[in-house]
Structure formats: structure tokens, C-alpha cells
Amino acid sequence: MKVFDLLSSSVVRGRYLILALVAVAVILAIHSSQNITMDQGYETYFSKDYKEYQQYVLFSKNFGGGVASIYIFIKGDDVVNYETYDFALKLGEEISRIDGIGRVKSPAHTVVDILGYLPADEEVLKQLSYQYSSFYLPKKTLMLMEFEVTADESQYNFIAKEVEKRISEIEKPPGIVVEATGNPMIMYQVDKSIGESMGTMGAVAVVLMVVTLVIVFRGVVELKRYLLLPLVISILTFLFAFGLMPVLGIPLTEITNAIAPILIGLSIEYAAQFMGRYEEERRKGNSPAISAVKSIKSVGLALSLAMITTVIGFLSMIFSGVPALGWFGLVSAIGLIVAYLLSLTFLPSVLLITDRKERKRKDEEKISFTEKVLDLASLISARHYRVLLLTVLVITSASYFGYSKVPLETDFMKYIPQDLPAMRKLSELQDLVGSNDRIIAVFQTDGIDSSVIARFEELARYVTNSEQNIVGYSSLGEIIKMNFDKLPSSDTELQQALEKIPEDRVSRYMQGSSYAIYFTVAPMDWLEFRKLYERVTEEMKFFGIEYPFYLTGDVVLKMFVADLIVNGQNRMTIASFAFVFILLLFVYRSPRKAIVPIIPITVVILANGGLMYLLGYSRTLVTASLNSLTIGLGIDFSIHVMERYFEERRRGFEPEKAVEITITNIGKPILTSGLTMAGGFAAMLASPFPIMSDFGVVSLMAIILSLFAALTVVPAFLVFTDNLNSKNKKEKLDDV
């Protein structure tokens, strides 16, 4: 193709300029990367115009549903004593000085509110504490303190850091242990983990790349100083992509922090394929310039198609509807384009400048284990293709059942490291107080009076009695009845009752003309919850409430996260298949050549789903992208095999011989790129984030399966279709 003729000649003439431009770009990327920001949580999962998320934000703003709390555990042999209570008061006063900290609740503060002072008599402390503040004193060895956080999420890190600092500085009574949890503490610790996780995964990825290149690629590269050149390309790719993130306004999240190992692993493929062909040309006795030019021309199309299909796979993540996943796909796609350009410009420039040693043809070499494996793969694919294809068909059919049964994980808290101190304490807190999953019904009324509150109480009782999975409810009417034994019969009584209830409690249920009812629901999976959500919606309409309303809450958002996973996966998969097929059809002008690379990838997707089911892995927001990712990544291997096979067929070789030559010549580069790619994803196993470590495992399985399919299923299918075409042609001639 003319474009590769122009590119190769430009590289030969401008090799020094290319190196200089890359050096400048590295400096700019390092400088830009200093401005990267971090983000996490629902804001990274839902787009700004997602209606249900906007309703949740509105509820949080109006009713304080988004007002977070920091819980402090005070532990000892017996915490109900003057010394410990006095310490709690001092700690409360110290932490209250932090900007963004609101009301403080604890048994010690309750006692002081009642008496006006802290009594030394422990019997009085116990009586008042257990009577009025039992929630914060679940047992005599544990006291809870709750600090309301009135600041927005942008201040959470500052507040959490200050809380940790002041807890460490204040003098504690003997035998007392103080620990903190709550969303601000968790988010602060998650932010620290994101940065540490990226560094760890990146380091592990580099080590795995070095090991893989040394073991597999040394048979491809004659001069060992070039052994790690593909890794240099990968590291440069990551630097450029990381430097672009602040420019594009993309933050580091639980999902985008995996960019380091993925790009380091994926970027090696293009460099490995180019160097494999370059070394082949050099062993023929060609000069570095001629070898570089021939390599760019020969692998340019295959690399271009491989890059474009992979980019399509990543860009299809934009169709997921999840901002963080879209960011991840966009940065990865840009990184792969950069890796492709570096492999066809920077890499040959380095070789042209440094490669001066003459290469000698080695007629007799000891056959390595890798070569024996590749020979076996070519033998099975070429001579036993019918058995192989039949076996694959059976496995794929069985895998479909498992693929359709893979469960979903929608709980955001299970996506983050479970061993964070704040997460461990949160689990302990939930064990003490139980689950707090709630559907919150928010109504917009014309005005709230005694009759409206009575009507809403009827509704709350009706819905609770109608649904066995709703275990209770909380409302302003219920609070009034608990304090005054009955609902107010007039607006005057209502006003008198509201004046006697703390304002912060009233504001959780009533804001202006808006009214909220909190329904507590039993634990259930997302499908059961969706049915409950739909039934509650219908029951409220059937009851005849004339006011507009919406249902919200954390558990409701989790249900919509499940929707994003299922619908997003379907959209991404369909988009990837469609765009890749159209691209291949446009390039090859042949349905056969467009379909051949897609068949093994379909097999891989179903087989990988079956393995996920057998091994007990769930679909998450990240693994939902696996299908499109597999299409983008796995098709690369198939394209390289198919391109070389057709090249050998054009030279006149029979199908079996073409397969043998193809696997022998490009098997090692494909193995190298595949194993290094697998190493990049395997590095995610070092991530403390379950969402990423699980993604690493299932991606690793997908890559290994894709590699196997490319070296066996693709050539087997090519031989099958070639022989089928020959048979059809022969039958037509016989008929004549």
C-alpha cells in the first residue's frame, strides 16, 4: 500500500527527527501527568443526565440523604465510665473544630444534653446511656460516636485526614482503642489505594514483561540488547496516555487505575510483530534500512487492522453508559494508537541508528520447546481440522449455558479493597446495627398539612402490608405517633408536634412541600429487587396518591448499576462485532475474510463465560466490557495468522504447507505478544481492588483462549474453507 511506502521512506530519512520528537513528547507527558486528579463512587458510574441518578442527587440535596457520617469506635474492657465518657467529650470537641463537621452524637453527649454535666456515678451513666442512647452503646466494650459531615465530597479527603490526625494526637485512657469508619474515611483510604494500586500493578506488569520477553522473545531477536525494546515502547505508550488524561479531563478511578498494566501489556504486541519480521529480514542478509522498509510494508496492514479492531473494542466501552468505563476505553484506545505509531516509527528509527552488526544465517538450530508446541499446533490445525472444529463446536455449545448464568455484582462497596481499616470497621458496624437497604419514596406535594401526613401514613402501611420483602418503614407520621401516641388531627397540633421534634429529624422526612418515606427492604438479588421496585411503583399508583413521586436510595442505584452492566455489555458487544465486521469487509472485500477472525472470538467469548460460571466469578461494571475487549484483543492474533496464511497461499503453497509456514514464522511473535498481553492483565491480580483483580483473572483467561484459538481454530477453519472451495470447484468441473 502506498501509505506504508511513504511511511517507510519517511522513517529512513527522518530517523533522528523522530527520536527528538519522542524525547520532547516524553518531557511534556511527564509534566502533564502531575496534574492528574482522582474520583470514585456513583459519580463515575452514572452519566450526568441519567434520570435516576439525578433523582438521587436531588434527594440527597433536599433531605440530607447524601450527608455522610464518620463513625468512631471507642473500645475497651468496659467503656461505660467517667474517664472514657470524658475522653469522648474531648474527642468530640476536637473533631468538631474541623471545617465540615456538624452534629456529634454519642452516649456521653446524650448524658450531658440531659443533665447539663457529666456525672461521675457510673450507675447514672449506664441508666441514661442505655435508656436514651442504646444505639451508640451496642455493648459495654464498645461506644460509637457519630459525626455528621456537612461538607461536600470534595472536602472528604481533607476531613478524613484531619480526623485520623486528631485521633492519633489526643491522649487516650489506658486500654482504650479508637478507630474510625464511614464513607469519608473509606473514600480517603480508597483514594490512597488507587494511587498505590496503579504503581504496584505497573511494576508487576514490567517484571512480567521482562520475564516473558527473556523466555519467549530471545528466540526471535538475535542481538540480546534488543530483547527489551518492545517493553520500552510499552512504557513510552503508558507515559503518553497517562500524560493525556489531565488534558482530556479524565481522572484516576477504581477502573482507570488499571490503564498502566493493560497498556504495558497490550502495547508490546505491535513492537513484537514488527521486530519479528525485521529479524526475519535481517537473517536473510538484508541491510537495516531494507529490513525496516520491508517490515513496515509487510506487517503494516496487519498491524493497522489489529490496532483498529482493538481500538474499536475499547471505544465501544463508550456505549456502556458508564463514564468511568468510557474514560478507560478512550485512554486505552489512544494509548494503542500511540503504541502503533511508535512501533512503526520510533522502533525502526532506533534500529536504523544502532543496528550495525551483520547477521549470519543459522542453518541448524536446536528445536526449542516453543517451536515443538507450534509445530504440534500447525499439525493439528492442518491435518486434523475436522476433529478440532467439531471439538470446539461441542465445547462452545456447552459453554453457552454457563455464559448465560454468570451472576451480577452491583454492590459498590464490594468493588473496593475489603482490608482497608475503614472497610473492616464498616463491616463490623453493619454486623452490629444490621442491613440498612431502603427504598425511599419522595413525593412533591402542593403543601403538607395534617391530612396529607395522615394520607401518607395510610400509604406507608398499605405498601408495607402488601409486600413481604418490605420489613418496615420510617416516616414523619410514625415519629409523631411515637412521641405523641397519635397523629395530629389539625394543623395546629401538627405545628406543636413539629416544634417538639429536633429539626434535623424533621428535615430527613420533610423539606418544604417535599415528603419522604423510607421503606426498609430484606436482602435480595437485583432481579428480585427490580420486581419489588416495579411492584412498589404500581402499588403507589393503585393506592391513588395524586402527587408525583420517585423512588430512590442506594439500593435503587445498585439496581440501575445492574441495568448498566447487562445493557451496557449487550450494547458494547453488538457495537464491537458490527464495527469490526464492517471494517474487515471494507478492507478485504470478502465475506470469508471478514468472518474468519470473528468465529474464534465468538468461541472464546462463550468459553470464557462458561469458565467464569464454573469458577464462581461475577459480572461487574468492568467485566461487562470483557466481550468487546476480547473482540478487540483476540482478533489481532487471528488477523496476523490469516494475513500470513494468505500471503503463503499467494506464493503457491498448499493449505497444509501454508499453515506450517505461517505458524513457524509468526508463531513466536504472536506467542510473545499474547503472553506479554496476558502478563499485563495478570498484573491486575496484584490490585487490592476486587473489581480489578477479578477482571485480571477473566481477561487473562480470555487472552489465553484467544491465543489458542488463533493458532489452532483460525488455521483449521482456513484449511477447511480452502478444501471446501476446492471440492466445490472440482464438482462443478465434473458436472461440466
Side-chain angles (χ1 to χ4, degrees), residues 203-499:
V204 171
V206 169
V207 171
L208 290 174
M209 298 304 101
V210 171
V211 172
T212 305
L213 288 171
V214 169
I215 293 175
V216 181
F217 207 50
R218 65 185 307 151
V220 176
V221 179
E222 183 177 329
L223 301 181
K224 303 312 173 192
R225 67 172 180 265
Y226 294 142
L227 197 60
L228 299 182
L229 258 183
L231 180 58
V232 174
I233 299 297
S234 292
I235 293 174
L236 288 175
T237 297
F238 165 69
L239 284 176
F240 292 147
F242 197 60
L244 280 172
M245 287 177 67
V247 176
L248 299 173
I250 295 175
L252 270 181
T253 69
E254 306 96 313
I255 296 176
T256 57
N257 87 100
I259 285 172
I262 286 179
L263 283 183
I264 289 174
L266 296 183
S267 304
I268 279 183
E269 180 192 359
Y270 307 132
Q273 291 296 334
F274 173 82
M275 288 197 67
R277 191 57 181 255
Y278 177 84
E279 289 290 324
E280 185 181 334
E281 295 298 332
R282 288 287 280 134
R283 283 193 292 271
K284 293 177 181 177
N286 292 319
S287 67
I290 293 175
S291 297
V293 169
K294 285 191 172 183
S295 298
I296 291 173
K297 291 179 179 180
S298 59
V299 302
L301 177 60
L303 285 185
S304 299
L305 288 176
M307 180 271 293
I308 294 171
T309 53
T310 308
V311 165
I312 287 173
F314 276 108
L315 288 182
S316 69
M317 294 182 188
I318 295 173
F319 293 97
S320 69
V322 180
L325 207 53
W327 299 333
F328 173 72
L330 178 60
V331 174
S332 299
I334 291 173
L336 292 177
I337 294 172
V338 170
Y340 164 81
L341 294 174
L342 289 174
S343 298
L344 292 181
T345 57
F346 176 76
L347 181 55
S349 297
V350 172
L351 293 170
L352 286 169
I353 293 170
T354 61
D355 187 10
R356 302 299 183 194
K357 185 177 179 179
E358 292 295 326
R359 310 294 174 86
K360 295 181 180 179
R361 182 187 299 271
K362 296 181 180 180
D363 296 325
E364 294 185 5
E365 287 186 340
K366 183 180 179 180
I367 300 177
S368 66
F369 174 75
T370 302
E371 289 169 330
K372 290 179 181 178
V373 171
L374 293 174
D375 288 342
L376 179 62
S378 65
L379 177 66
I380 294 173
S381 302
R383 299 184 185 178
H384 306 287
Y385 61 89
R386 291 187 181 89
V387 175
L388 175 62
L389 293 176
L390 181 61
T391 303
V392 167
L393 180 62
V394 172
I395 293 173
T396 304
S397 301
S399 297
Y400 177 77
F401 171 80
Y403 176 83
S404 63
K405 298 293 183 181
V406 177
L408 300 181
E409 179 55 74
T410 63
D411 188 350
F412 162 70
M413 286 299 178
K414 292 183 180 178
Y415 286 1
I416 63 180
Q418 300 299 293
D419 60 350
L420 293 177
M423 273 302 299
R424 290 200 302 268
K425 303 320 296 178
L426 181 64
S427 297
E428 185 177 340
L429 179 63
Q430 290 174 339
D431 289 340
L432 289 170
V433 303
S435 174
N436 199 30
D437 285 343
R438 294 176 300 183
I439 295 177
I440 304 163
V442 182
F443 301 86
Q444 185 62 46
T445 73
D446 299 327
I448 299 176
D449 56 23
S450 58
S451 62
V452 170
I453 287 184
R455 181 69 170 157
F456 280 132
E457 279 304 289
E458 291 178 21
L459 170 66
R461 288 193 299 270
Y462 169 76
V463 172
T464 303
N465 293 333
S466 300
E467 289 294 340
Q468 62 178 3
N469 285 322
I470 293 182
V471 297
Y473 74 91
S474 176
S475 67
L476 183 57
E478 185 188 37
I479 291 175
I480 292 173
K481 283 193 296 182
M482 288 174 60
N483 286 275
F484 304 99
D485 297 327
K486 67 181 183 71
L487 289 173
S489 57
S490 66
D491 292 346
T492 301
E493 286 185 7
L494 174 61
Q495 188 60 38
Q496 290 172 348
L498 293 179
E499 288 175 356

Side-chain angles (χ1 to χ4, degrees), residues 27 83 106 122 133 191 212 263 271 306 309 335 357 463 473 526 541 547 561 580 624 649 673:
I27 295 171
E83 188 177 18
S106 78
E122 291 187 7
S133 192
D191 271 357
T212 305
L263 283 183
T309 53
K357 185 177 179 179
V463 172
Y473 74 91
W526 81 277
K541 293 178 181 177
Y547 304 116
V561 167
V580 166
R649 289 285 283 136
S673 58

Side-chain angles (χ1 to χ4, degrees), residues 486-554:
K486 67 181 183 71
L487 289 173
S489 57
S490 66
D491 292 346
T492 301
E493 286 185 7
L494 174 61
Q495 188 60 38
Q496 290 172 348
L498 293 179
E499 288 175 356
K500 294 179 181 180
I501 300 173
E503 184 181 346
D504 62 328
R505 295 193 71 185
V506 174
S507 65
R508 296 285 288 176
Y509 302 95
M510 186 174 71
Q511 283 289 338
S513 58
S514 296
Y515 190 88
I517 303 174
Y518 299 74
F519 295 96
T520 302
V521 299
M524 65 190 79
D525 65 32
W526 81 277
L527 286 174
E528 291 176 317
F529 182 80
R530 168 165 282 289
K531 293 176 183 177
L532 174 64
Y533 174 89
E534 292 170 351
R535 288 199 304 271
V536 169
T537 301
E538 290 304 314
E539 282 161 359
M540 287 187 174
K541 293 178 181 177
F542 178 77
F543 184 79
I545 285 290
E546 62 274 19
Y547 304 116
F549 70 91
Y550 61 87
L551 304 180
T552 190
D554 276 336

